[in-house]
Amino acid sequence: MTRPLKTVLTTSALVTAIAAPAFSATTIPLSTYVNEADIRYEGFVHFAELVAEKTGGSVEVQIFPSATLHGWSEGVDAIQGGVSDISWIPADERLPCYRVTSLYPASIDLDNQIEMDAAYADLVSDEAAKVGLVPLFNSNYSYDQEWWFEEPIDDLGDLQGKQVRSIGPLVSMMIETWGGAPVFVAPKEVFQSAERGVVDGINMGVATYSSWQLWDVMPYMVNASLFYGNIQYMMNKKKFDSLTAEEQAALTEAAKETETWLKPRYEDWVDQRVGNAVMKGGGAAVSISKNKREELIASVQDKWNEEVSAACGPDLSGAILKLFANNAP
């Protein structure tokens, strides 16, 4: 006997529903060198929660802290090789303009930092796209990047042969200009290097320095405020382009909202760590004068600008340097 059409359709729909796979979110691994004690880790958690909320759960950001997926210099390789979809991007030779401008000697007014960082990200986005990357998340290095020594020093501009940890080639040029010897050390290896006397001084972000408990080995901080810094987190462009337009918008909106959410918390957290180290941990923090800051910046800026011009070309270098100048105090 032939069954009614309604029964056939209902049965077919039931079989299809049983056979259909369960809903599966697009997973995006995010790699960061910061550990879970760092306020920036809370920022990434906030970002992941916003992405899940804005996409209705269709995109899931998985956070891998403490450089568990790759080392400091391997961000581009990690993204291109599928190890992570979002990673911090260091001074990589495949991004020549970003390499010499993501950390730049300048005095910066931080009141407009969110907008300035967004403008900088736009300026380097074409270069990033050529190697399969999309700038997504701006950092807070303008507030953060400082100097530490085991004992007080008289003059940051006269390092007297001290071996100082550097994070990149132009910071190394800066250290050499001031009479020091640069040594590259990855963040996770800095504690052992300082403890064993491999380095006499450290250039590093205050948040990372505090999270890795480095105040115990080098307690004397020189608060110089010499940098614009935006060591960006970028995303695999193919993975980004594979998302729907709504999901792409959710990711970029979540990143921007997280930057705004994190900035005051980050600055307060950094200040508290410095205060705790000075008041309770035997540390010391000395700020240089405005005149000394300008002297130190001037001692390296012309040579740095030569690198910027060569790496970025006249139009892009001019736009980036104008952005820095427009955000000076």
Side-chain angles (χ1 to χ4, degrees), residues 43-76:
F44 291 124
V45 171
H46 185 75
F47 169 67
E49 290 172 348
L50 284 177
V51 170
E53 176 186 327
K54 289 176 180 292
T55 64
S58 69
V59 177
E60 177 188 0
V61 176
Q62 295 182 339
I63 306 163
F64 294 85
S66 304
T68 50
L69 291 184
H70 60 83
W72 171 262
S73 301
E74 299 160 5
V76 176

Side-chain angles (χ1 to χ4, degrees), residues 9-10 20 35 42 50 79 94 108 127 131 136 140 175 191 200-201 227 245 255 261-262 276-277 280 304 309 313 315:
L9 291 176
T10 302
N35 63 24
E42 294 184 24
L50 284 177
I79 292 176
R94 287 162 288 189
I108 296 297
E127 179 179 79
V131 291
L136 186 64
N140 288 270
I175 293 167
F191 187 97
D200 305 307
F227 294 103
W261 178 89
L262 182 59
N276 288 342
K280 299 178 182 179
W304 205 303
S309 180
D315 293 339

Side-chain angles (χ1 to χ4, degrees), residues 5 13 21 35 37 40 45 55 64 93 100 133 144 146 150 163 167 183 187 200 230 244 252 286 299 315 327:
L5 180 60
N35 63 24
R40 289 170 294 180
V45 171
T55 64
F64 294 85
E93 292 182 352
V100 298
L133 303 175
D144 192 39
E146 296 301 350
E150 188 173 357
Q163 293 185 306
I167 68 166
V183 181
D200 305 307
N230 189 352
T244 67
T252 54
V286 176
S299 71
D315 293 339
N327 285 272

Side-chain angles (χ1 to χ4, degrees), residues 262-273:
L262 182 59
K263 184 177 187 292
R265 291 170 173 81
Y266 179 84
E267 293 175 359
D268 287 348
W269 189 87
V270 167
D271 290 345
Q272 289 169 10
R273 294 307 176 278

Side-chain angles (χ1 to χ4, degrees), residues 103-110 113 116 140-149 156 171 174 178 202-206 221-229 266-267 270-271 274 285-298 300-301 304 324 327-329:
L103 195 69
Y104 176 84
S107 185
I108 296 297
D109 182 351
L110 295 174
Q113 183 189 345
M116 180 187 183
N140 288 270
Y141 267 58
S142 304
Y143 189 77
D144 192 39
Q145 194 75 11
E146 296 301 350
W147 309 81
W148 284 265
F149 301 90
L156 184 59
V171 174
M174 176 182 280
W178 299 339
I202 296 171
N203 170 246
M204 199 176 203
V206 181
M221 172 183 167
V222 179
N223 180 28
S225 300
L226 298 177
F227 294 103
Y228 169 72
Y266 179 84
E267 293 175 359
V270 167
D271 290 345
V274 174
V286 176
S287 296
I288 65 174
S289 68
K290 178 183 176 182
N291 288 342
K292 185 62 179 179
R293 177 179 304 112
E294 292 174 352
E295 174 192 323
L296 291 172
I297 290 173
V300 296
Q301 199 170 64
W304 205 303
F324 295 152
N327 285 272

Side-chain angles (χ1 to χ4, degrees), residues 21 36 63 66 146 152-153 195 210-211 244 257 261 285 292 308:
E36 294 180 61
I63 306 163
S66 304
E146 296 301 350
I153 63 169
E195 193 174 42
S210 299
S211 296
T244 67
E257 289 175 23
W261 178 89
K292 185 62 179 179
V308 173

